[in-house]
Amino acid sequence: MRIAAVVHNGVKHDARVLKGAASLKAQGHDVRLFGLTADETEDFVLPNGVPVHLQHRDLSDQKPRMEREELPPGRESAIWTSFRIQGETIFESVRDDFEPDIVHMHDHLALAAAAKYKEAFGCPLIWDAHEIYEDLASIEDVRAAVNARIIRENVRYVNGFITLNQSISDFYREKYPSLPDAVLVPNAVERVAQTTYDGRLHKKAGLNRDQKILLFQGGYSPHRGISALLEASRHLREDWSLVFMGWGKLEDDIRAYLDTGADRPAGRAAVTMVPSAPHDELLMWTAGATLGTIPYENTGLNHLYCSPNKLWEYPAAGVPILASNMPEMKKKIEQYQIGLTVNRRLDPEEIAEAVNALSDADLQQMRLNCGTYAAAENWQNYEARLTGLHLKLAEEFGIVKPEPASFRNNLVRFFRRR
């Protein structure tokens, strides 16, 4: 089959998009990725042979289009027009490249052009919802309204629906009942051999090799519990250090804490920072942590029901998790006993108390459980849901001949287990 995977970003750092394209490519399909960039239009080929086209994001027609459509002035009309232009820009890239048998739309900006894909190609459309777009963390009301409008006006064109977990699926089923039943494909990482740690995280952070590390990995963004972690660092035992590995707007807030543990012995700093790691080396750096943190704040349904990449990345590196007790994260952590959760109000003293109370035996058992979790919860164990949905829709639309009855029955049983 010819499959167009479309997304509003630059593709290169979107692990979910890249994994999905690789899985479909491995099935023998002609998969092509289309995205947007603020830079010059670019074409390249991924190492697995998937071609990528990034179209320059040109919004110069935004105001003229608002005038042509006689839209009321204001931010809502501006955002609505901008999002449609971006969605249509990706559509035009696809239309100018080839005629797909299936279009796999990631996120909501791509969904804005659903009607155009249907009119041009008449093919099945799969919508892959990575988030709850109308209730993102601290989203402004006007942007939430536009996001909801995009979904409301385009779900009628969706033939297959993918999202991350049961809680998000339940939200969409209740809010948009015309959507097809969700196929759950989480942000699991690819199966990897257990990482042997070489000391790099401790060395870069200036810590003794026996120092325990409480790691925050990723973007230094608001509403991710960074301030609570920083305050908790004041109450951690001297054999624990809080290490930040990432980037973002709260970097200065973190730097303000770097000298707060000056009375500690050398090699046992209370708070340290290291640069973000290259993606292909991430697990080797993460493996140096004793606990990996996911202290998301309860600021909207998207955080409440989140199951982020780190829920799989940490255990894949053999690192147990400390997370706020959001339902989907709590479910995985308790099911596999791969860490602990703290109250979502994120009290710093409670966080420190929970960390300080962990014995070496507790941590060792959690690390062993991470191996069990990584074996059961990896991308290879979920990718058949993605590829199976494409095949199911291709058969329904007459794009491919139905598989033999035995294969089809196995596929039905698989989808019932989702």
Side-chain angles (χ1 to χ4, degrees), residues 76-322:
E76 183 167 351
S77 293
I79 295 170
W80 168 243
T81 304
S82 168
F83 285 4
R84 286 184 297 146
I85 289 173
Q86 292 178 70
E88 291 165 10
T89 298
I90 307 169
F91 159 73
E92 290 164 3
S93 295
V94 175
R95 183 194 59 196
D96 295 343
D97 186 77
F98 78 146
E99 182 173 350
D101 295 312
I102 292 180
V103 176
H104 188 124
M105 300 178 292
H106 291 274
D107 290 318
H108 67 303
L109 262 67
L111 184 65
K116 291 188 174 293
Y117 289 108
K118 276 294 184 184
E119 181 180 4
F121 308 124
C123 67
L125 305 182
I126 294 173
W127 182 40
D128 195 332
H130 303 189
E131 317 253 14
I132 297 179
Y133 302 98
E134 58 209 81
D135 205 351
L136 300 168
S138 296
I139 188 173
E140 57 180 327
D141 290 344
V142 64
R143 192 174 291 269
V146 172
N147 290 353
R149 182 179 177 184
I150 288 174
I151 299 169
R152 184 173 62 251
E153 295 191 0
N154 290 283
V155 291
R156 74 188 79 171
Y157 305 112
V158 174
N159 305 106
F161 177 49
I162 296 174
T163 195
L164 306 181
N165 59 48
Q166 191 61 53
S167 294
I168 296 178
S169 170
D170 291 344
F171 166 83
Y172 278 111
R173 184 176 63 241
E174 181 177 349
K175 189 72 181 289
Y176 304 99
S178 63
L179 272 173
D181 289 343
V183 173
L184 304 184
V185 182
N187 282 324
V189 301
E190 294 182 278
R191 186 186 298 120
V192 293
Q194 193 68 46
T195 304
T196 300
Y197 181 53
D198 59 8
R200 65 180 67 193
L201 182 61
H202 283 80
K203 183 178 180 180
K204 192 71 174 180
L207 299 174
N208 295 341
R209 183 64 183 263
D210 64 346
Q211 185 72 353
K212 296 182 176 71
I213 288 178
L214 183 64
L215 178 66
F216 181 97
Q217 174 181 298
Y220 304 153
S221 302
H223 313 299
R224 293 191 173 185
I226 288 176
S227 62
L229 286 178
L230 289 169
E231 281 301 304
S233 71
R234 300 181 185 273
H235 307 285
L236 290 175
R237 292 197 320 249
E238 284 192 352
D239 59 339
W240 280 93
S241 293
L242 175 60
V243 176
F244 288 88
M245 183 172 68
W247 69 97
K249 62 174 66 176
L250 297 183
E251 185 172 331
D252 289 343
D253 294 28
I254 299 168
R255 289 192 182 283
Y257 275 76
L258 295 186
D259 297 326
T260 56
D263 57 337
R264 282 187 167 210
R268 301 196 186 280
V271 181
T272 70
M273 293 178 69
V274 300
S276 57
H279 190 267
D280 60 349
E281 298 179 11
L282 181 62
L283 294 185
M284 290 183 281
W285 286 87
T286 304
T290 310
L291 276 179
T293 65
I294 319 177
Y296 282 17
E297 299 170 19
N298 186 18
T299 52
L301 293 179
N302 196 57
H303 267 192
L304 179 63
Y305 296 143
C306 70
S307 49
N309 294 346
K310 288 187 282 290
L311 190 59
W312 286 269
E313 288 170 347
Y314 287 139
V319 176
I321 296 169
L322 181 147

Side-chain angles (χ1 to χ4, degrees), residues 8 30 59 97 187 194 236 322 364-365 396:
H8 68 275
D30 178 2
L59 297 176
D97 186 77
N187 282 324
Q194 193 68 46
L236 290 175
L322 181 147
Q364 177 61 20
Q365 185 59 58
E396 290 177 358

Side-chain angles (χ1 to χ4, degrees), residues 43-91:
D43 290 280
F44 58 92
V45 179
L46 297 173
N48 60 13
V50 173
V52 180
H53 176 81
L54 300 181
Q55 185 66 35
H56 172 66
R57 184 186 288 105
D58 182 2
L59 297 176
S60 59
D61 190 44
Q62 181 177 339
K63 289 185 177 179
R65 180 164 174 173
M66 290 171 62
E67 293 172 359
R68 291 195 305 272
E69 296 180 354
E70 299 181 347
L71 298 178
R75 278 185 54 72
E76 183 167 351
S77 293
I79 295 170
W80 168 243
T81 304
S82 168
F83 285 4
R84 286 184 297 146
I85 289 173
Q86 292 178 70
E88 291 165 10
T89 298
I90 307 169
F91 159 73

